[in-house]
Amino acid sequence: MAHYKAADWKREQFRRYLEKSGVLDTLTKLLVALYEEPEKPNSALDFLKHHLGAATPENPEIELLRLELAEVKEKYEAVVEENKKLKTKLAQYEPLQEEKRAE
């Protein structure tokens, strides 16, 4: 009987912890939002993951990585464009070299 009371006590402590940290409120809001969706998504779990991820505050490190990624993408696009221009320029001179060799 004492084991049963200990398990109930642990369960109640855990429930209080979830309530105090706002987890129960957030989950309740998510489940209500899912319930109120006019067209239910194919995957309820994906719906919860998406909305739960959107509800969490952004990690500053993630934002820095996003900015860095955007900068690297810009540099990459510039290098690709420069490469195209250089290939075009090179293609203009290569036929001239082949003509000189033929003579």
Side-chain angles (χ1 to χ4, degrees), residues 11-84:
R11 190 174 296 125
E12 182 61 25
Q13 290 296 101
F14 186 65
R15 187 193 63 74
R16 285 186 195 150
Y17 162 73
L18 292 176
E19 191 174 302
K20 192 176 192 179
S21 62
V23 172
L24 289 179
D25 187 46
T26 301
L27 286 175
T28 301
K29 286 178 183 177
L30 283 172
L31 291 172
V32 168
L34 178 59
Y35 175 78
E36 291 176 347
E37 274 293 307
E39 291 185 29
K40 303 295 184 238
N42 292 334
S43 172
L45 187 57
D46 286 343
F47 176 89
L48 294 175
K49 285 179 182 178
H50 173 74
H51 285 81
L52 189 59
T56 58
E58 279 294 317
N59 184 340
E61 187 175 327
I62 292 173
E63 188 58 34
L64 288 174
L65 289 172
R66 284 187 181 142
L67 290 172
E68 185 179 345
L69 177 62
E71 289 175 14
V72 169
K73 283 181 178 180
E74 284 182 34
K75 288 179 183 178
Y76 170 77
E77 292 298 325
V79 168
V80 167
E81 190 61 35
E82 182 183 13
N83 189 13
K84 285 179 185 177

